[in-house]
Amino acid sequence: MADDDDDLMRRAEALIERHRGAAFPPLIDLADIPTLTEAVEPVAEGVGIRAPNDAVRMDAKAIVLPSEPSVPPGHGLQVPSAGAGGEVIARVQVQNLEHSVYQKLRRELDERIAEVLQDRFMPDIGSALDQVLKKISEGLKSDIGAMVRASIEETLHTQLKALRVGLESKTAEPASGQLGSDIMPAFSASPTPDMELAKSFEPAAIEARWYPFWESSGYFRSNSDQSKPAYCIQLPPPNVTGTLHMGHAFQQTLMDALIRYHRMCGYNTNWIVGTDHAGIATQIVVERQLQAEGRTRHDLGREAFVKRVWEWKQQSGSTITRQMRRLGASANWGYADTEGQSAGYFTMDEKMSRAVVEVFVRMREQGLIYRGKRLVNWDPVLGTAVSDLEVEAEEEDGKLWEIRYPLEDGTGSVVVATTRPETMLGDVAVAVHPQDERYRPLLGKRVWLPLTGRTIPVIADDSVDPEFGTGCVKVTPGHDFNDYQIWTRHRDAELRDAPQGGLISIFTLDARIKPSGLDDLIPQPYRGLDRFAARAQIARDLAATGHLVSEKPYKLRVPRSGRTEEIVEPMLTDQWFVQMEDLARRGLGAVAGGEVRFFPEHWTTTYNHWLENIQDWCISRQLWWGHRIPAWYGDDGAVYVARDEAEARAQAAARGYSGALKRDEDVLDTWFSSALVPFTALGWPEKTKDLELFLPSSVLVTGFDIIFFWVARMIMMTQHFTDKVPFRHVYINAIVRDAEGEKMSKSKGNTLDPLDLIDGITLEELLAKSTSGLLLTDHRQKAYRYVRQHFPEGIPAFGADALRFTFASLATFARTLNFDLNRCEGYRNFCNKLWNATRFVLMNCEGKDTGVDESLPVELSFADRWIVSRLQRAEQAVHEGYRDYRFDMLAREIYELTWDEYCDWYVEIAKVQIANGSESQQRGTRRTLTRVLEAILRLAHPVIPFITEELWQKVAPLAGRRGPSIMIQPYPRPQPERIDETAETWMGRLKDVVNACRTLRSDMGVAPGQRMPLFVQGDRDEIGPLVPYLMALARLSEVLVTDRELPKVDAPVSMVGKCRLMLKVEIEPAVERARLRKEKARLESEIAKCDAKLGNAEFVKRAPPLIVAQEKERLARFKVALAQIEEQLRRLG
RNA sequence: AGGCGCGUAGCUCAGCUGGCUAGAGCGCAUCCUUGACAUGGAUGAGGUCGUUGGUUCGACUCCAAUCGCGCCUACCA
C-alpha cells in the first residue's frame, strides 16, 4: 500500500520535474473538443487582432483574439486596454458564442483537464500522465490552438501544484507516531508558505498544514493561570471501538467553536477529552473477532481475553481522536493522557480505575451501594444483567393466549391471559382487583395450575385492572416485574407457604427451563427446553388438555437488549445496586435551583421526570471487560468491599476470618465510571488545583439520548463527591438525520461519513462502503439504491470548514437536524467567496499603503464608515449567538456580513474609491478593506478555523496585526462608538437607488454593457455624494440631479423614498405599460390595507402613536407614487 | 395512557418579548464571463404561515380545540 503510493509519487514527481520551467506542454488535443473548434472559429475568421507579444492567450474567462484593432460589428463589445507592448489589445467578448455553448465548452474542457489530472483516488497517475504526454508530441497547428494551449497550461500548472501538495501530504512521514498518515496527513509545519493564493479555495492542503502546526505549538493546552477566567468543556468520551459519525462531528464542531471563541476571548480554556472503554460494546466487538477465528472468549479464559481486548484497544483505540483532528478540534489532547497516545484519558486507565474503586468503596461505606437478589433485565445471549435504560421495547406482532385455571373445589374456573405461556410454570397465584364483584367469592380459594398438578391461591391486588381482559392475572414473580411487585405485597400473607417462598425462577441463565433442581414444580417433559420451545410445547399441551381458551394475534411491546437485540428475560440474580433516592433528590435540586441550566430549556422536564421516578441502579454486569467490582467473598459468605485485596484481608482479619478470599467476578456498568468523569478526569480523589479551576465545567454538549444514561448521573455523582455541580450549562444538541428527516442507519444506506464530506468520495467507493458489512441482500439493495439516487456523482470534497459551517448553521434549537448536502455545498461556496474576497484585497493592497502608519492622513467616506459600523453590529450579534448557544444565528450573521455586505457592496465601492480617490482616500479605503477583512477572519475563525488561518496570515500584516496564529488573537469586540447611523443612512440610500436602477434596467431589458444617464428629482445634498458610486454600481453614463420636475419624456420612473429616479432609456411602450400596471396594482393593495387600518377608529385610538404615524406616512407615500404611475400610464395611452 | 417537539416557498430551515411589503440557502426562470470569485453577478416567479375558534386596534407570533408527523416515558397481563 505505502509502497505503491511511494512509487506513484516518484513517477508523478519525475514527470512534473521533467516538464517544469519551460512551457509545460499542452495535455489536451483540441480535436477532442468539437465544441471549441465549432464555437471559436467563425469569430476568429472575421476578427484577426494582432497580438503585441507572445504572451497573449486565452484564459478561461475571455477569449482574446490576436488581430488588427478592429472588431466587426455585431461580434462583440470593444473594451480597450493598454497592451504590454504599447499596442492596443482588443478584448473581445464573443457575443455569438451562445451561453449554452460556452457552458458546454467549459464543461468539456474541465472534464478533459480532470481526466488528465485525476484526483488522489486515481489508481495510477503516472500512466495517465504518460498517456497524455503522447498526445503532446502531436502538437497543435492553429493560432487559436496555441492560445488555448497556453491557457490550459496555466490551469494545469495550478492544479498540478495542488496535486503535488496533496501527494506530499499523503506520503510524508507522520510528524509524530500518533498521527497515522491515512487519517491525518502530517506536514512539517511552515506556517506561511510564500505562495500566491490559488484561484479558488482548495481545502485539503490548507487543513493538512495548519492542524499539526497548532497542535505542536501547544495552543490547545490549558494552563494554571489563575488571572484568566477558566472555560472548560468535557467531551462526552466516545467509545474506543467507535469511528466518527455525523452526530460526533456535529457536537464536536459546536464544542470546538465554543472553545476557540472563548480562547480568543481570553479565557483559560480546557477541552478535556478521553475515550470510554464501553464495556459491552467493546467486548462484543472482540468476541466477534474471536468468532471469526472459530473461538469464544471461554476458550481463551478471562485473563487472556481481557489481554486481547487491551491489545485491540491499543491498536485501534485512537482512530476516533485522529478523526476529530481532521475536523480541527482544538482539544487538550495531552491532558490526563496516561496512555501516552495524545488522546486524553481512558476510562479504564490506571488513574481512572483507582478513582472508580475509591468511589465504590466510599459509597458502600455510606450505605449507598448494596448487593441483593433482585429481578433484573437479563440478556441471555451476553449472559449479563443490563439496566432499564439499556432495554428497548418495540411493538411487535405476538400472540395472546387465554388459559383456563379450574377451581380446586370444582365449582368453576378462572381465565387468565398471557403473552408468555411458558412462564405459567412459575406461577404462584392468580390475582384479581379487590373491588371486582365477579371474583369476590373466589378470594381465598385455590385454583389448579394446569399441566403441573399444583394449586395456587386467588389473591386480591390493586394493580389489577378489572377492565382489561377477564380481570384475572396470573402471577409469576420470578419472571415479571409487575408480578414481582405483587409478590412483595403478599409474600408475608397468602404467599407465605408457597414453594420457593413464592419466588420461583424457572429459567437457567441462558433462558432454558431448568433441567433439574425444581423437579417438584416443573414436569419432566419441559425440563431443559429452550424458552421458545417450551412456549410452543406448553401451548400445545394446554390445547390438548382443554385448558386453552383461545390463541390470537396480538401486538405487544417486546423488551430487547439494546446491544444484542435479544429478547430480555426478567431474571432473579444477585446484583449490586446504587440507592438512588437521595442522590436523585439532590440532582433535581441542582436544576431546580438554577445551578445547572438546560439549553433548550424544555429538556429540564425530561430530566425531572426521570429523576422523579427513578429506580435503584443495577451497576453489576456479568462481563469480563470493565472495572472489576472491588468486593471479596470469604468462604463463610461474608463480603468485604475494599480498595485492594490487602485491605479486604485486613477487614476479614478484624472480623476473625483468615480463610480464602475470592474476588467478585462481575464488572461495573460502563456508565458508572462515565458518571465520575467530571471530577476524576481532573485528578480526584487528590485535591488538585484543576479541580478548583475547572470544576464545574462551563457547558456540556451532548445528545438527549444520554440525558438519563449520563447527564443525570454525572450531576448526582459529582454533587455527592465534590459538593459541586459538574457543569453549569447543558446544551442538548439535535439528532442528525438525513435530508428527508430519516434516521441515519447503515441498513438504509443513508449514513454519511463526515470524512467523506471533507475529502470527497467517488460513487464507486461510496457504493462499496455503504453496502459492505450489510448481511441482508435486502439491506444491501436498499443501501445501493439510496446511494445511487442521492449521490449519483459521489460526494465532492467540501473541506472541514464548509462542513463545520454547515453544522453551525443547522444548529437551531430544534430537536432534529436534517443534514442537507446542498447546504454543505452552499457553505463551501461561502468559503470560496471569502477566499476570493481576500485575493481581491491582497491584489489591491499588497505592497501598497494600507494605513498601517497611523500618522499619515486618512480620509474615510460614508461607505468606509458604514462597513465599520456594520461590523460592530455583526460582532455584537455573534457574541450574543455564542452566549445563547444560537450557532445558527451567529453563522448567519457572519455569512451575511461577509457576502451580502462586505463582498456585494463594500468591495464594489472600494473599487470606485481606489480608482478615483485621492491619496488619503485610497489609503482610507485600503485601510478599511484590510482591517474589516481581518476582523471578519477573526470573527469567523471559531467556526471555520482552517481557511481563516490561511488567509489571516496574509491579511494581518496589512491590517497592522502580528502574531504566529489567528487562533491566539483576541476575538473582535464590538465598539459601540463606531456605530455610525449617519453613514448607515447614506448607505441605505445608495443601496436603494442602485437597486431601483438595476430593477429598471432589468425590467426594461437593457443590455448589460449599455450605460445610460439617470435623472434624479430630489435633494442635491442627498444624492450628490452618491454619484460616483451610482455610476459604477448601476452602470450609468451620468447622473443628473434636479430639485425641479423631471422632463416629461417616455422613460421609466421609480420612487426611492422622496426621490424620483428616471432612467433615460429607450422604452418599449408595451413593456413599460406592463411594468407600471404591476406597480399600480401593488400600490393599490397597499393603500387598501393602510386605509382599512386607519379607517378603524379603534386602531387609531389604541395603537401606539408611533405605529399610527408610520401608517399615515406610508399611506401618503403610496398615494403620491400611485398618482405618478397613473399619470405615466395616461401619457403612454 | 401520559409527556414533549414539529407543521412557514418545490426542498432544507430562520422569524427574538404580538406592529413597516413574512426572510435565507438550494432549486426554478430570464439575462450576464466586466481583472476577486461561474464554487460568481443581476433580476424575477413562488407562501390564504396545518385547520378552526378565541384574546387583541392588530396574530406566523399568545390561548384553546383539532388534524398530521416524529420522539420520549409507562406494570396493562
Side-chain angles (χ1 to χ4, degrees):
Chain A
M1 174 73 194
D3 281 355
D4 285 354
D5 272 358
D6 282 352
D7 187 45
L8 205 64
M9 173 65 191
R10 264 195 303 278
R11 286 162 62 192
E13 272 291 346
L15 277 165
I16 291 161
E17 200 51 49
R18 215 184 308 152
H19 299 288
R20 192 179 281 164
F24 197 86
L27 300 183
I28 292 160
D29 189 338
L30 283 184
D32 287 352
I33 307 173
T35 318
L36 182 70
T37 33
E38 284 164 23
V40 173
E41 265 172 357
V43 189
E45 268 176 22
V47 183
I49 300 172
R50 192 159 49 82
N53 56 42
D54 294 335
V56 173
R57 55 187 172 75
M58 166 191 164
D59 62 40
K61 292 195 43 95
I63 297 174
V64 181
L65 299 167
S67 105
E68 294 299 321
S70 68
V71 181
H75 271 176
L77 286 168
Q78 194 174 349
V79 183
S81 64
E87 289 181 79
V88 170
I89 303 171
R91 187 170 292 273
V92 180
Q93 187 180 357
V94 182
Q95 293 249 294
N96 60 350
L97 197 59
E98 283 288 324
H99 180 62
S100 60
V101 176
Y102 176 79
Q103 292 283 332
K104 199 173 154 205
L105 175 59
R106 268 195 75 91
R107 252 200 318 277
E108 282 184 40
L109 269 170
D110 284 350
E111 269 169 30
R112 217 50 60 120
I113 291 169
E115 261 174 42
V116 171
L117 287 169
Q118 295 297 330
D119 53 23
R120 70 207 125 94
F121 295 120
M122 173 71 199
D124 190 346
I125 291 171
S127 81
L129 286 177
D130 278 339
Q131 219 178 344
V132 165
L133 285 173
K134 225 182 284 169
K135 292 197 169 174
I136 295 166
S137 57
E138 290 158 28
L140 291 158
K141 278 144 209 145
S142 72
D143 286 348
I144 294 171
M147 292 185 298
V148 171
R149 191 169 64 196
S151 151
I152 294 169
E153 278 167 19
E154 190 193 86
T155 318
L156 282 173
H157 270 305
T158 318
Q159 298 211 14
L160 278 170
K161 226 192 282 176
L163 182 72
R164 272 166 47 78
V165 172
L167 279 170
E168 275 166 20
S169 62
K170 202 176 170 196
T171 50
E173 277 302 306
S176 66
Q178 290 85 50
L179 302 178
S181 59
D182 56 331
I183 306 284
M184 188 72 218
F187 215 87
S188 53
S190 83
T192 37
D194 208 14
M195 284 194 324
E196 274 203 12
L197 292 186
K199 207 161 183 175
S200 61
F201 167 54
E202 301 290 344
I206 297 168
E207 290 170 16
R209 181 159 54 235
W210 288 109
Y211 196 89
F213 170 71
W214 292 330
E215 187 174 3
S216 59
S217 302
Y219 297 150
F220 300 166
R221 289 202 282 268
S222 62
N223 54 55
S224 48
D225 183 355
Q226 303 239 14
S227 63
K228 284 178 164 185
Y231 188 86
C232 177
I233 295 182
Q234 292 260 4
L235 175 80
N239 292 358
V240 271
T241 58
T243 50
L244 197 77
H245 59 62
M246 291 296 279
H248 291 129
F250 176 42
Q251 266 177 18
Q252 289 164 9
T253 295
L254 303 186
M255 281 184 252
D256 193 46
L258 285 168
I259 284 282
R260 284 179 185 270
Y261 166 75
H262 284 94
R263 189 184 289 118
M264 290 175 78
C265 285
Y267 287 78
N268 177 15
T269 53
N270 191 7
W271 186 2
I272 302 174
V273 295
T275 46
D276 193 282
H277 66 279
I280 296 182
T282 311
Q283 175 158 335
I284 288 177
V285 170
V286 178
E287 282 193 80
R288 292 232 172 97
Q289 292 171 4
L290 287 175
Q291 204 182 348
E293 299 165 17
R295 294 193 290 175
T296 71
R297 68 182 154 117
H298 300 285
D299 297 336
L300 265 72
R302 180 166 189 152
E303 204 178 315
F305 178 77
V306 169
K307 191 162 164 254
R308 172 139 181 173
V309 181
W310 271 106
E311 279 164 14
W312 189 75
K313 182 258 156 188
Q314 298 300 354
Q315 172 202 323
S316 78
S318 48
T319 304
I320 199 161
T321 52
R322 277 180 289 143
Q323 291 174 318
M324 275 178 75
R325 286 174 161 90
R326 287 303 313 279
L327 268 177
S330 64
N332 195 355
W333 299 108
Y335 192 81
D337 177 31
T338 48
E339 302 278 284
Q341 294 197 326
S342 291
Y345 63 82
F346 177 54
T347 53
M348 243 171 73
D349 68 29
E350 219 176 292
K351 263 182 85 181
M352 299 300 267
S353 299
R354 247 198 332 271
V356 168
V357 168
E358 185 63 31
V359 163
F360 190 93
V361 172
R362 286 196 200 177
M363 289 183 86
R364 169 70 172 183
E365 286 166 0
Q366 292 157 350
L368 286 170
I369 283 184
Y370 65 92
R371 181 179 150 88
K373 202 183 245 333
R374 295 282 188 287
L375 208 54
V376 294
N377 295 297
W378 185 266
D379 182 328
V381 168
L382 282 173
T384 180
V386 292
S387 77
D388 306 349
L389 291 176
E390 289 161 286
V391 176
E392 286 156 18
E394 285 289 325
E395 194 153 271
E396 294 180 21
D397 289 324
K399 280 180 182 161
L400 186 70
W401 287 269
E402 286 189 315
I403 310 170
R404 188 180 304 282
Y405 289 8
L407 284 163
E408 186 183 30
D409 60 14
T411 57
S413 63
V414 294
V415 175
V416 296
T418 182
T419 53
R420 299 185 297 158
E422 71 280 9
T423 61
M424 67 168 290
L425 296 175
D427 283 3
V428 297
V430 167
V432 298
H433 193 270
Q435 256 74 59
D436 193 335
E437 293 302 330
R438 293 171 295 176
Y439 299 115
R440 230 175 213 187
L442 270 45
L443 289 175
K445 293 192 176 186
R446 298 183 74 85
V447 296
W448 287 105
L449 188 60
L451 311 179
T452 66
R454 282 198 284 136
T455 63
I456 52 175
V458 179
I459 62 175
D461 194 276
D462 287 335
S463 68
V464 181
D465 178 4
E467 306 295 316
F468 186 86
T470 58
C472 285
V473 186
K474 63 191 273 301
V475 182
T476 322
H479 294 288
D480 185 286
F481 290 101
N482 199 24
D483 295 359
Y484 184 86
Q485 292 302 319
I486 296 178
W487 172 77
T488 60
R489 291 190 284 267
H490 298 272
R491 63 179 153 190
D492 296 325
E494 300 95 320
L495 298 180
R496 198 175 44 232
D497 301 321
Q500 306 277 316
L503 207 49
I504 306 169
S505 192
I506 63 166
F507 289 126
T508 59
L509 292 181
D510 54 355
R512 287 178 302 119
I513 306 287
K514 281 184 179 162
S516 62
L518 289 176
D519 292 357
D520 50 334
L521 297 176
I522 299 176
Q524 217 286 321
Y526 308 119
R527 293 180 204 159
L529 287 182
D530 172 79
R531 53 182 163 166
F532 302 116
R535 176 177 300 177
Q537 187 62 44
I538 283 173
R540 269 197 300 278
D541 292 350
L542 285 170
T545 55
H547 290 99
L548 190 64
V549 177
S550 71
E551 176 184 325
K552 19 185 173 185
Y554 190 70
K555 286 230 188 276
L556 70 159
R557 286 166 61 85
V558 179
R560 287 180 183 274
S561 165
R563 287 294 166 194
T564 57
E565 308 260 291
E566 196 62 30
I567 296 179
V568 162
E569 203 67 52
M571 202 78 85
L572 208 53
T573 48
D574 282 312
Q575 302 289 351
W576 291 92
F577 294 89
V578 176
Q579 208 155 35
M580 298 307 291
E581 209 184 318
D582 293 342
L583 291 171
R585 198 172 309 123
R586 243 184 122 176
L588 283 166
V591 173
E595 289 172 83
V596 175
R597 275 181 71 193
F598 279 91
F599 292 83
E601 208 181 344
H602 67 253
W603 289 108
T604 312
T605 321
T606 312
Y607 171 88
N608 288 342
H609 185 257
W610 187 65
L611 281 187
E612 279 158 10
N613 298 289
I614 199 162
Q615 307 282 314
D616 281 358
W617 175 16
C618 174
I619 49 171
S620 44
R621 296 286 180 276
Q622 288 64 50
L623 302 171
W624 287 354
W625 175 245
H627 296 104
R628 195 146 167 196
I629 290 174
W632 283 262
Y633 302 92
D635 291 336
D636 55 355
V639 189
Y640 306 101
V641 170
R643 286 164 185 84
D644 51 39
E645 191 168 343
E647 197 179 302
R649 198 159 287 289
Q651 284 179 22
R655 289 187 43 183
Y657 175 79
S658 59
L661 283 179
K662 193 164 174 290
R663 184 161 184 181
D664 198 310
E665 294 284 328
D666 294 351
V667 300
L668 286 166
D669 181 2
T670 306
W671 294 104
F672 187 84
S673 59
S674 313
L676 315 178
V677 154
F679 51 103
T680 54
L682 294 169
W684 190 93
E686 268 96 80
K687 288 197 167 60
T688 62
K689 197 160 193 177
D690 284 359
L691 272 166
E692 292 290 313
L693 217 53
F694 297 118
L695 189 73
S697 64
S698 310
V699 59
L700 178 77
V701 179
T702 193
F704 72 82
D705 48 335
I706 54 175
I707 290 183
F708 306 145
F709 274 110
W710 197 47
V711 180
R713 287 167 178 170
M714 277 194 286
I715 294 175
M716 292 187 281
M717 290 298 220
T718 308
Q719 280 189 306
H720 183 71
F721 282 98
T722 67
D723 285 325
K724 290 188 185 180
V725 292
F727 28 72
R728 294 201 176 85
H729 295 167
V730 182
Y731 175 85
I732 299 292
N733 63 257
I735 297 297
V736 181
R737 307 286 193 81
D738 75 6
E740 281 93 30
E742 293 281 320
K743 219 174 204 163
M744 287 197 176
S745 92
K746 181 89 180 144
S747 61
K748 279 188 219 146
N750 63 350
T751 52
L752 281 170
D753 183 338
L755 294 191
D756 291 343
L757 294 166
I758 295 175
D759 295 331
I761 185 167
T762 61
L763 176 64
E764 289 72 23
E765 283 207 337
L766 190 59
L767 282 172
K769 200 166 152 181
S770 307
T771 51
S772 78
L774 289 179
L775 300 175
L776 298 171
T777 333
D778 181 40
H779 286 172
R780 271 206 305 277
Q781 283 173 350
K782 214 192 268 175
Y784 188 87
R785 273 201 302 273
Y786 185 93
V787 171
R788 289 277 342 198
Q789 194 192 333
H790 288 81
F791 313 107
E793 300 180 34
I795 299 173
F798 295 120
D801 288 323
L803 179 63
R804 291 170 61 117
F805 208 106
T806 311
F807 279 134
S809 307
L810 293 173
T812 65
F813 272 176
R815 205 175 255 242
T816 54
L817 179 167
N818 296 353
F819 191 90
D820 189 348
L821 217 58
N822 290 324
R823 286 198 65 166
C824 203
E825 189 181 343
Y827 294 119
R828 193 259 329 253
N829 295 352
F830 171 76
C831 290
N832 187 57
K833 190 77 181 172
L834 182 59
W835 182 269
N836 276 295
T838 305
R839 281 184 68 212
F840 169 81
V841 171
L842 293 176
M843 279 175 191
N844 284 281
C845 297
E846 254 176 341
K848 307 253 172 57
D849 181 357
T850 55
V852 176
D853 181 350
E854 306 269 350
S855 65
L856 296 170
V858 158
E859 199 176 321
L860 296 178
S861 70
F862 72 84
D864 298 320
R865 294 197 311 274
W866 160 75
I867 191 69
V868 170
S869 175
R870 184 65 185 76
L871 174 67
Q872 309 309 315
R873 294 192 190 273
E875 287 172 2
Q876 180 62 37
V878 170
H879 278 285
E880 281 163 14
Y882 279 111
R883 184 195 63 199
D884 301 337
Y885 300 102
R886 287 305 303 264
F887 300 95
D888 58 326
M889 299 288 197
L890 68 90
R892 186 190 179 83
E893 196 61 37
I894 291 168
Y895 186 99
E896 286 175 357
L897 172 70
T898 306
W899 199 319
D900 302 345
E901 310 288 17
Y902 187 79
C903 292
D904 283 356
W905 289 101
Y906 187 69
V907 164
E908 295 308 318
I909 285 171
K911 286 176 187 171
V912 177
Q913 297 185 161
I914 286 177
N916 309 333
S918 68
E919 196 182 329
S920 59
Q921 282 171 332
Q922 286 192 32
R923 186 179 298 120
T925 305
R926 292 203 174 93
R927 181 167 139 147
T928 310
L929 218 39
T930 49
R931 295 198 178 194
V932 172
L933 176 61
E934 193 274 339
I936 287 175
L937 293 172
R938 279 183 290 131
L939 197 65
H941 177 263
V943 182
I944 43 175
F946 293 108
I947 185 176
T948 49
E949 177 74 283
E950 178 81 11
L951 299 178
W952 187 82
Q953 295 289 341
K954 294 210 180 351
V955 173
L958 302 176
R961 275 191 180 267
R962 291 210 183 277
S965 167
I966 189 176
M967 69 170 284
I968 50 171
Q969 287 290 311
Y971 202 70
R973 294 223 157 263
Q975 296 168 273
E977 70 277 11
R978 303 187 75 173
I979 287 180
D980 187 334
E981 288 183 13
T982 314
E984 286 174 356
T985 307
W986 277 106
M987 191 61 201
R989 202 177 295 140
L990 176 60
K991 282 182 175 183
D992 287 345
V993 175
V994 170
N995 287 336
C997 291
R998 285 173 175 170
T999 306
L1000 284 181
R1001 288 179 67 108
S1002 175
D1003 286 350
M1004 293 295 107
V1006 176
Q1010 194 187 333
R1011 288 178 176 269
M1012 75 282 291
L1014 173 73
F1015 292 86
V1016 184
Q1017 179 191 337
D1019 191 336
R1020 272 173 214 274
D1021 295 338
E1022 282 188 3
I1023 301 298
L1026 305 181
V1027 169
Y1029 304 113
L1030 284 174
M1031 301 262 295
L1033 298 181
R1035 318 202 113 254
L1036 303 169
S1037 57
E1038 58 189 319
V1039 178
L1040 301 154
V1041 187
T1042 168
D1043 45 13
R1044 304 211 199 112
E1045 281 282 294
L1046 292 176
K1048 299 238 185 280
V1049 293
D1050 284 342
V1053 172
S1054 180
M1055 292 286 295
V1056 172
K1058 292 191 185 95
C1059 296
R1060 297 183 73 197
L1061 310 179
M1062 185 171 81
L1063 207 54
K1064 183 83 176 49
V1065 63
E1066 288 300 310
I1067 59 164
E1068 199 60 57
V1071 174
E1072 175 66 353
R1073 265 198 297 273
R1075 185 184 78 86
L1076 290 171
R1077 283 206 193 96
K1078 198 176 135 200
E1079 182 64 7
K1080 184 174 170 227
R1082 190 185 73 84
L1083 287 169
E1084 280 166 348
S1085 97
E1086 290 302 332
I1087 287 169
K1089 269 194 235 170
C1090 285
D1091 274 339
K1093 271 192 187 175
L1094 289 166
N1096 183 341
E1098 288 298 302
F1099 172 75
V1100 180
K1101 204 165 73 189
R1102 300 214 178 188
L1106 188 71
I1107 300 288
V1108 177
Q1110 254 173 24
E1111 209 59 36
K1112 281 183 177 156
E1113 202 231 299
R1114 284 188 60 200
L1115 182 62
R1117 248 199 355 252
F1118 291 143
K1119 282 191 167 156
V1120 172
L1122 182 64
Q1124 286 169 353
I1125 298 265
E1126 277 166 346
E1127 198 218 304
Q1128 279 177 278
L1129 269 172
R1130 217 171 303 124
R1131 225 187 9 249
L1132 279 165

Coordinates of all heavy atoms in Angstrom, one line a residue, chain A residues 50 332 370 685 746 799 1011 1017 1091:
Chain A
R50 N -4.1 41.7 -34.0 CA -2.7 41.3 -33.9 C -2.2 41.4 -32.4 O -2.5 42.3 -31.7 CB -1.8 42.2 -34.7 CG -0.4 41.7 -34.8 CD 0.3 42.2 -36.1 NE 0.1 43.7 -36.1 CZ 0.9 44.5 -35.4 NH1 1.9 44.1 -34.7 NH2 0.7 45.8 -35.5
N332 N -7.6 19.5 24.2 CA -6.4 19.4 25.1 C -5.9 18.0 25.1 O -6.1 17.3 26.2 CB -6.7 20.0 26.5 CG -5.5 20.3 27.3 OD1 -4.3 20.0 26.8 ND2 -5.6 20.8 28.5
Y370 N -25.5 -1.4 47.6 CA -25.9 -2.6 48.3 C -25.9 -3.8 47.3 O -26.0 -3.6 46.1 CB -27.2 -2.5 49.0 CG -28.4 -2.3 48.1 CD1 -29.2 -3.4 47.6 CD2 -28.8 -1.0 47.7 CE1 -30.3 -3.2 46.8 CE2 -29.9 -0.8 46.9 CZ -30.6 -1.9 46.4 OH -31.7 -1.7 45.6
P685 N -9.2 11.3 43.4 CA -9.5 11.8 44.7 C -8.5 12.8 45.3 O -8.7 13.3 46.3 CB -9.6 10.6 45.6 CG -8.8 9.6 44.9 CD -8.9 9.9 43.4
K746 N -27.3 2.3 8.9 CA -26.5 1.6 7.9 C -27.3 0.8 6.9 O -27.1 0.7 5.7 CB -25.5 0.7 8.7 CG -24.6 -0.1 7.9 CD -23.3 0.6 7.6 CE -22.4 -0.3 6.8 NZ -21.6 0.3 5.8
G799 N -14.4 20.0 2.3 CA -13.5 20.5 3.3 C -14.1 20.7 4.7 O -15.3 20.7 4.9
R1011 N -24.6 51.8 -21.0 CA -24.6 52.8 -20.0 C -25.6 53.8 -20.4 O -25.7 54.2 -21.6 CB -23.3 53.4 -19.8 CG -22.3 52.4 -19.1 CD -20.9 53.1 -18.9 NE -20.1 52.1 -18.2 CZ -20.0 52.2 -16.8 NH1 -20.6 53.1 -16.1 NH2 -19.2 51.3 -16.2
Q1017 N -34.9 63.4 -9.4 CA -35.5 64.6 -8.8 C -35.5 64.4 -7.3 O -36.1 63.5 -6.7 CB -37.0 64.6 -9.3 CG -37.7 65.8 -8.7 CD -39.2 65.7 -9.0 OE1 -39.6 65.0 -9.9 NE2 -40.0 66.3 -8.1
D1091 N -55.6 52.0 4.4 CA -56.9 52.6 4.6 C -57.8 51.9 5.6 O -58.4 52.4 6.5 CB -57.7 52.7 3.2 CG -57.3 54.0 2.5 OD1 -56.8 54.9 3.1 OD2 -57.5 54.0 1.2

